[in-house]
Amino acid sequence: MRARRKTSRQSDQQTREAAAAVALTRLGTWLEERGLKHSRQRDVIVEAFYAMGGHVPVDGLVARVRALDARVSVATVYRTMKLLAECGIAVPRRFDDGQTRYEPASGRAHHDHLICTGCGRIVEFENEKIEELQIRVAHGQGFEVDSHKLELYGRCERCRRGGGAGSKGASP
Ligand SMILES: [Zn+2]
Ligand SMILES: [Zn+2]
């Protein structure tokens, strides 16, 4: 594993905490507009979600949240994440392993994913040419594209070298 300097990890954490604070404010406004209550449990879930970073599997989030507060039910975590998706704070992802994952949506551009079938690693990418090509292919068939998901499955460099196989995550 690549060693990261303490300072960069600290600023990473600060960025996540700031993003969590922004998300909580937005969620609060969204709930208020709908006459719904803000709960401390929701705060814990949102903070844990941002602290985990990346593409968070819901069951992983459940484990983390319940370690912080055992009174939070599994159903509450699932419901809260659906709520976050509804108000545009999180984007649900479902890759081939069948798990539902969420990633933070705030301030992020469209991207696609590379998924390692060995270790479950998920890498984001954007490629202008691919984006254009997809639109052209669709136009050629008389389609207007609203959205798309591109997922490339394969083995990451580490797994191809035999370093990361079977450590966790996606099914082979
Ligand atoms: Zn891998
Ligand atoms: Zn992503």
Side-chain angles (χ1 to χ4, degrees):
M1 222 210 294
R2 212 150 35 99
R4 298 179 79 178
R5 295 215 327 269
K6 201 180 176 190
T7 49
S8 95
R9 197 167 54 228
Q10 272 175 342
S11 70
D12 240 34
Q13 198 194 334
Q14 278 165 4
T15 310
R16 283 174 186 183
E17 279 168 8
V22 170
L24 280 173
T25 307
R26 213 169 129 192
L27 179 65
T29 310
W30 192 88
L31 290 168
E32 240 169 68
E33 284 168 3
R34 281 154 189 81
L36 299 166
K37 269 197 200 142
H38 206 116
S39 74
R40 177 64 201 138
Q41 291 199 349
R42 280 199 192 114
D43 292 358
V44 172
I45 295 164
V46 171
E47 278 158 10
F49 170 59
Y50 276 90
M52 287 173 83
H55 307 78
V56 179
V58 188
D59 53 5
L61 182 62
V62 166
R64 175 139 181 170
V65 166
R66 287 175 62 88
L68 294 166
D69 185 347
R71 291 166 303 177
V72 183
S73 72
V74 176
T76 299
V77 177
Y78 275 82
R79 241 185 293 123
T80 300
M81 293 317 292
K82 275 192 180 150
L83 211 63
L84 289 189
E86 234 179 279
C87 69
I89 289 171
V91 179
R93 303 281 185 192
R94 208 175 164 93
F95 301 127
D96 271 3
D97 65 358
Q99 282 207 62
T100 302
R101 291 182 167 79
Y102 286 90
E103 63 175 298
S106 37
R108 309 188 60 220
H110 166 78
H111 60 267
D112 293 302
H113 296 94
L114 275 157
I115 300 113
C116 178
T117 54
C119 66
R121 190 173 158 217
I122 298 162
V123 176
E124 301 184 338
F125 72 92
E126 301 170 68
N127 184 298
E128 226 176 277
K129 274 190 190 156
I130 294 176
E131 298 292 319
E132 282 171 18
L133 254 176
Q134 289 177 133
I135 290 167
R136 237 196 288 158
V137 168
H139 276 179
Q141 301 290 335
F143 274 65
E144 193 73 57
V145 178
D146 294 327
S147 67
H148 76 265
K149 291 173 187 167
L150 181 62
E151 293 161 13
L152 304 180
Y153 293 86
R155 286 159 62 80
C156 72
E157 195 177 0
R158 211 185 306 152
C159 285
R160 285 191 296 110
R161 284 190 187 142
S167 58
K168 63 159 187 167
S171 49

